[in-house]
Amino acid sequence: MGSSEGLLNRVINARLMPYELSNHFWTYVEECLYTHALSVLTPLLTTHVPPTPHIALLHTLCLHPSLTTRTTSSDLHSASNRSHSLLNLILPRHGTQIFVPACRFEQNTHSLRNNRTSKSHSLPTPPPTFPSEHDAPETIPLAHSSSLFHCASDFWHVVGWALNCSILHPLRWRVWLPWLRFMCQLLEDDWHLRDKDAQEQSLIHSYVTSESGVHGSIRRMMRAIFVDGDARAQSEFKEVWKGELKGPKKEDGKPKKREVDVDVDAEVYGDYLGGDDSEDEEEDDEPQIGTTRPQRRKSARNRVKREPGTDETVTPGRKDVSLVTNPPSSRLDANISALHVRLRLLNLLSCVSVRFSSTFTTAHELYTLYVEFIQPLPLPTFQAFVLPGIAANDFSPDAHATLCEYLVYQLIDNDYVTTSEEFLTQKKFELSFLPFAANGSGVVENAKLGLLLESLLRYIARAGELWKSERLVEAIEKGISARAEKAGETSRRKKGSTTGRDEDEAWRTMSESSERIRDLVNRLSTRDLDGMEH
């Protein structure tokens, strides 16, 4: 029995959540009693399958600002955290198949089906669906108009916005990061557990299939993954929910006016002697999801407040200020956790390109795009992408080596020697790669080339295909000298300037990489003429 067929059978054979309990669940949600609703769902997961609308709601509860960054309510925070925990519990227990219909973005579903039809592809067998009696009532915004899958245009919109938050809005990033990790795990499991014939039905395949199906849509995926928080990125990948960056209401979780106890004998008059500042109050222009009564806020024209959990002073009334604590100058390498997400998504796209080169894109075209986006990155970020340390658990070794080789061909001197060797071998390294400098004369370009050669040497050494020899040592030393000499020809370091500091860092990076290469070679075994190891 195929693995994808087994997943489907697990869904079919498990019992569906009873309608009565499903109705109780939605009643609690409608009353904004989210923890009560989750308590109905939790004990059923061992024996029952949660319906599609319930799974979709869990995604929204994890992320919606009304349960996370726009409230100080511990109950709402708990509901958000429990929703995430339930997703992580459902995935290994019931498999990936039930997530496929739940994680369809509404704005992209119609275009996706039109795209497949226009290309004359047969539509894959739809994943299992559940009776409409389990659908959420229309009176629940979080399951309809405020749902994640309704508000976001597609998966790449969410990726671009969330990774923007990793640089610009750290409080929102703390909310988005666990969900992104879960989605990466879901997409990876859903892809790898399917038979090849069923991978067209996978969630990641639906996410990479666009209405146009042309190179431009793939470039948008690249821009989402490599988003860096600049003005263009903020314009293209905007917030998912309106007002998402606003902080908690000042009155959130505090007594409202006229709610303080009054005891005349004890001369406790509550707020009756505090005056009436109704003239300074205005209606909030956004509905409060997650609370059963409307709230009012003071304009506080001349006052400021400090956002809980930050050192930021916030002026009330200014949009998108309270959760912005990092300047746009923060680069991709500002957050290693974001880098892991980027690498996992790149690896998934690589898998899809190998399997569906005719309908998605070829591996060559995809890796050419990777090079276009990775080559100009700042040196620290570039180093994180190409050295195997960080990428080891997120990118398959073969795919990562292929990426580094593509980058080498982009950076190496045009006079490099071509060989007939198709794959990476020691001979190809000694003749074509190691002895040469970069095609650019800057120290950054030559430092990047050195890092790439170090990464590929480690790859060949781990495969047991690298042996110490005089020719190898000679090629390494020749290349180290050539890169240092070429970088030194145009170095214009100005003490104290940004350019000077960048060049100093690049020289240090290049020197350290050269020493690691030497150390790697010194620890290699040798072979005699008969191929015996020594």
Side-chain angles (χ1 to χ4, degrees), residues 48-204:
H48 295 76
V49 176
T52 296
H54 299 60
I55 297 176
L57 179 69
L58 292 179
H59 286 269
T60 301
L61 294 180
C62 288
L63 303 167
H64 199 277
S66 66
L67 283 83
T68 54
T69 50
R70 292 204 65 186
T71 182
T72 57
S73 167
S74 58
D75 285 342
L76 295 178
H77 290 168
S78 176
S80 173
N81 294 333
R82 287 185 63 183
S83 297
H84 180 72
S85 298
L86 286 176
L87 289 177
N88 282 284
L89 181 63
I90 294 170
L91 179 58
R93 185 173 297 277
H94 296 294
T96 64
Q97 197 82 359
I98 63 173
F99 282 91
V100 175
C103 296
R104 300 284 191 187
F105 288 84
E106 295 178 14
Q107 298 182 41
N108 197 45
T109 301
H110 179 69
S111 63
L112 172 65
R113 181 164 291 272
N114 284 346
N115 177 49
R116 284 172 171 163
T117 304
S118 64
K119 291 184 177 181
S120 299
H121 294 318
S122 59
L123 289 170
T125 303
T129 56
F130 301 100
S132 58
E133 63 187 20
H134 291 278
D135 288 349
E138 294 293 334
T139 53
I140 301 178
L142 287 179
H144 295 286
S145 60
S146 295
S147 167
L148 167 68
F149 302 105
H150 175 84
C151 294
S153 59
D154 60 12
F155 178 68
W156 305 106
H157 170 199
V158 178
V159 169
W161 166 246
L163 291 175
N164 262 337
C165 289
S166 73
I167 298 172
L168 299 173
H169 315 298
L171 295 183
R172 283 305 296 168
W173 174 238
R174 294 176 197 170
V175 176
W176 282 108
L177 175 58
W179 182 84
L180 278 178
R181 285 174 171 164
F182 170 82
M183 288 301 296
C184 285
Q185 190 64 52
L186 170 62
L187 293 172
E188 290 164 355
D189 291 351
D190 187 47
W191 174 265
H192 294 297
L193 291 176
R194 290 176 181 269
D195 295 331
K196 286 187 176 181
D197 294 339
Q199 285 178 332
E200 189 177 2
Q201 303 171 27
S202 66
L203 197 54
I204 184 60

Side-chain angles (χ1 to χ4, degrees), residues 308-362:
T310 74
D311 295 328
E312 291 296 307
T313 301
V314 180
T315 303
R318 290 186 60 191
K319 184 180 180 181
D320 297 358
V321 175
S322 60
L323 300 184
V324 179
T325 58
N326 281 357
S329 58
S330 301
R331 305 305 299 177
L332 286 172
D333 57 333
N335 199 312
I336 295 298
S337 57
L339 181 59
H340 285 295
V341 171
R342 300 176 202 268
L343 287 167
R344 293 176 76 173
L345 292 173
L346 291 176
N347 189 54
L348 274 167
L349 293 183
S350 176
C351 293
V352 178
S353 70
V354 172
R355 177 69 182 86
F356 296 103
S357 59
S358 60
T359 57
F360 174 48
T361 188
T362 65

Side-chain angles (χ1 to χ4, degrees), residues 275-497:
D276 189 357
D277 33 316
S278 58
E279 294 181 359
D280 290 334
E281 295 184 353
E282 58 183 20
E283 293 286 344
D284 191 353
D285 59 350
E286 294 187 21
Q288 293 301 298
I289 301 173
T291 181
T292 56
R293 56 182 300 169
Q295 299 182 28
R296 300 167 68 88
R297 65 181 181 190
K298 297 181 180 179
S299 61
R301 299 184 184 91
N302 301 317
R303 288 178 291 174
V304 297
K305 63 178 180 180
R306 290 191 177 273
E307 193 58 50
T310 74
D311 295 328
E312 291 296 307
T313 301
V314 180
T315 303
R318 290 186 60 191
K319 184 180 180 181
D320 297 358
V321 175
S322 60
L323 300 184
V324 179
T325 58
N326 281 357
S329 58
S330 301
R331 305 305 299 177
L332 286 172
D333 57 333
N335 199 312
I336 295 298
S337 57
L339 181 59
H340 285 295
V341 171
R342 300 176 202 268
L343 287 167
R344 293 176 76 173
L345 292 173
L346 291 176
N347 189 54
L348 274 167
L349 293 183
S350 176
C351 293
V352 178
S353 70
V354 172
R355 177 69 182 86
F356 296 103
S357 59
S358 60
T359 57
F360 174 48
T361 188
T362 65
H364 172 72
E365 292 172 339
L366 183 66
Y367 278 85
T368 301
L369 272 177
Y370 287 178
V371 169
E372 179 182 335
F373 280 84
I374 293 176
Q375 183 192 350
L377 292 176
L379 184 57
T381 310
F382 182 91
Q383 180 174 350
F385 267 99
V386 303
L387 287 186
I390 294 179
N393 296 324
D394 305 315
F395 224 71
S396 70
D398 291 344
H400 190 251
T402 300
L403 171 62
C404 290
E405 189 174 3
Y406 268 75
L407 285 163
V408 166
Y409 283 120
Q410 184 69 21
L411 285 168
I412 201 167
D413 194 294
N414 295 328
D415 294 331
Y416 78 95
V417 178
T418 59
T419 69
S420 59
E421 299 281 342
E422 180 180 358
F423 301 103
L424 283 175
T425 62
Q426 181 165 338
K427 179 181 178 181
K428 184 176 183 177
F429 252 83
E430 293 169 350
L431 293 176
S432 300
F433 291 170
L434 289 175
F436 297 97
N439 54 24
S441 56
V443 61
V444 173
E445 289 83 355
N446 282 277
K448 287 181 176 179
L449 179 60
L451 291 169
L452 290 168
L453 297 178
E454 176 191 352
S455 182
L456 289 174
L457 278 172
R458 292 182 180 278
Y459 172 76
I460 298 178
R462 285 196 304 270
E465 299 296 331
L466 191 64
W467 309 92
K468 186 175 182 180
S469 66
E470 291 183 7
R471 188 167 59 182
L472 176 65
V473 174
E474 180 182 347
I476 286 174
E477 294 300 331
K478 183 178 179 180
I480 290 174
S481 299
R483 291 188 289 276
E485 181 179 353
K486 193 166 187 179
E489 291 176 356
T490 57
S491 181
R492 299 286 187 272
R493 289 183 285 176
K494 296 180 181 180
K495 188 174 182 180
S497 68

